[in-house]
Amino acid sequence: PYTRLFRSVQGDVDLDSNGYPDVAVGAPKSDTIAIFRARPVAIFSSSLTFSPDSVDVFECFGQSNQQTDCINVTACISVTGQGIEEDGIEVDYSLKLDTRLKRISLVGDSLVDDNTVSGTLNLTKNVENCVSYNLQVKNDIKDYTTAIPAAFDYSLSAAHLAKPLSSINDPNLYQPTTNTAAFQQNCG
């Protein structure tokens, strides 16, 4: 239908009222135009913290119950952005902890294995949403000098992306969130 595409371009007009400019492209001698709609860009902010920030092995090993709460990990995420849905954006997340040395185990629901948990969060714009897990310290640890690494990874869920003109994640701003906890040294 287009004899000469891009002969007429109109931009900087928000045709669908989502806060982002759309582009209309037409061709001469054609009664048809193509509209390219801009999608909202979700800007995520996340954090990952240990509480306390180091492991007291004497306190953890002194507990008779293996599922001790001597250390906890909390991952938080929030979303903002122009045109972002107020009723929520669904994200899938995974939290991986000490996956190489496996000295610490996660305790809770939705575990993939002892060192990985995954789930889905429904985020409300400008509201921080957190997940928190108690950690179990194994009693056969050989390496107390290497820090305990944790990584919090997230992405827009398939259900969210399946909606027409749903928001997208800004690929230039995305990085998994990482942190470490140490074993206390010189304890005695």
Side-chain angles (χ1 to χ4, degrees):
Y2 300 111
T3 56
R4 291 186 184 128
L5 188 59
F6 301 121
R7 196 44 104 95
S8 177
V9 176
Q10 174 65 43
D12 203 25
V13 176
D14 185 6
L15 298 171
D16 54 6
S17 300
N18 69 355
Y20 289 89
D22 302 307
V23 177
V25 179
K29 300 181 185 175
S30 174
D31 60 352
T32 307
I33 64 168
I35 297 175
F36 297 93
R37 296 182 187 179
R39 293 166 64 174
V41 177
I43 301 168
F44 291 98
S45 168
S46 62
S47 65
L48 184 61
T49 57
F50 287 96
S51 179
D53 59 2
S54 63
V55 177
D56 180 342
V57 292
F58 293 113
E59 178 184 327
C60 292
F61 291 158
Q63 310 252 344
S64 59
N65 182 356
Q66 280 289 333
Q67 295 187 350
T68 177
D69 59 356
C70 64
I71 188 164
N72 177 281
V73 63
T74 301
C76 297
I77 185 170
S78 62
V79 65
T80 190
Q82 183 177 344
I84 296 299
E85 301 89 350
E86 294 291 335
D87 60 342
I89 290 183
E90 195 172 89
V91 294
D92 295 327
Y93 72 90
S94 76
L95 175 61
K96 296 181 179 183
L97 181 77
D98 202 30
T99 55
R100 189 173 63 83
L101 296 175
K102 301 183 187 291
R103 299 163 294 175
I104 304 285
S105 296
L106 290 153
V107 177
D109 297 329
S110 305
L111 297 179
V112 174
D113 59 38
D114 282 351
N115 299 88
T116 305
V117 63
S118 64
T120 301
L121 294 171
N122 193 16
L123 304 178
T124 301
K125 183 178 175 181
N126 298 322
V127 175
E128 187 175 62
N129 201 329
C130 299
V131 291
S132 189
Y133 295 92
N134 289 332
L135 305 178
Q136 176 182 347
V137 178
K138 295 184 179 177
N139 58 9
D140 60 350
I141 297 173
K142 308 242 185 305
D143 181 353
Y144 293 99
T145 58
T146 304
I148 302 163
F152 178 54
D153 195 11
Y154 53 88
S155 63
L156 290 167
S157 72
H160 176 79
L161 293 174
K163 292 188 251 179
L165 296 176
S166 64
S167 54
I168 58 171
N169 188 16
D170 185 345
N172 296 320
L173 297 178
Y174 174 74
Q175 293 183 22
T177 304
T178 60
N179 198 355
T180 59
F183 288 100
Q184 288 182 1
Q185 303 293 317
N186 302 322
C187 297

